[in-house]
Amino acid sequence: MSTPGLIVELTVRDRDVLVVGAGPVGRRRAQRLLDLGARLRWVAPNAPPEFSRRSFLSSDCIGVDYVFACAPPSVNAAVLSVAKARRIPVCRADAPGDFRALVDVVAELRA
């Protein structure tokens, strides 16, 4: 039996979206966001050269609509903390199925 869930659809076209991490998950997520018309900000030491090739900084979250944390767990924890503090919906790739941060922020924004 599967765990009941909630499907959340994000409109990303013409939105500023941050992806942190450039491993296989980060690369897939970034490509999908580009395909959907997002204005992508991508931060990782091994990001493609046209993006920010460095470690995550808290200032990376300024002015973004959504954040995808696709880096190692310690980096994702920092990304989650900053995004939640700024009330930015965030999805953490190393916690599949755990959308509490995303849902909490969306619920706060709608209240």
Side-chain angles (χ1 to χ4, degrees):
M1 176 180 266
S2 65
T3 304
L6 174 68
I7 296 173
V8 177
E9 182 175 307
L10 300 175
T11 301
V12 297
R13 179 171 301 286
D14 299 323
R15 300 287 178 103
D16 293 305
V17 182
L18 172 65
V19 173
V20 179
V25 174
R27 288 181 182 277
R28 282 194 311 270
R29 187 72 64 234
Q31 185 59 58
R32 182 70 177 135
L33 290 163
L34 286 170
D35 292 345
L36 292 170
R39 291 188 300 262
L40 184 65
R41 297 185 194 180
W42 194 359
V43 175
N46 58 334
E50 63 270 26
F51 294 97
S52 297
R53 298 183 94 176
R54 58 171 171 72
S55 298
F56 171 75
L57 303 171
S58 61
S59 59
D60 292 325
C61 288
I62 294 172
V64 298
D65 298 298
Y66 306 115
V67 176
F68 290 86
C70 304
S74 61
V75 176
N76 287 348
V79 173
L80 178 75
S81 177
V82 172
K84 283 186 73 174
R86 293 181 180 274
R87 301 181 68 203
I88 303 167
V90 57
C91 182
R92 185 174 171 171
D94 62 332
D98 183 358
F99 294 100
R100 285 176 293 180
L102 176 64
V103 173
D104 290 348
V105 171
V106 171
E108 287 176 22
L109 294 174
R110 291 182 181 242

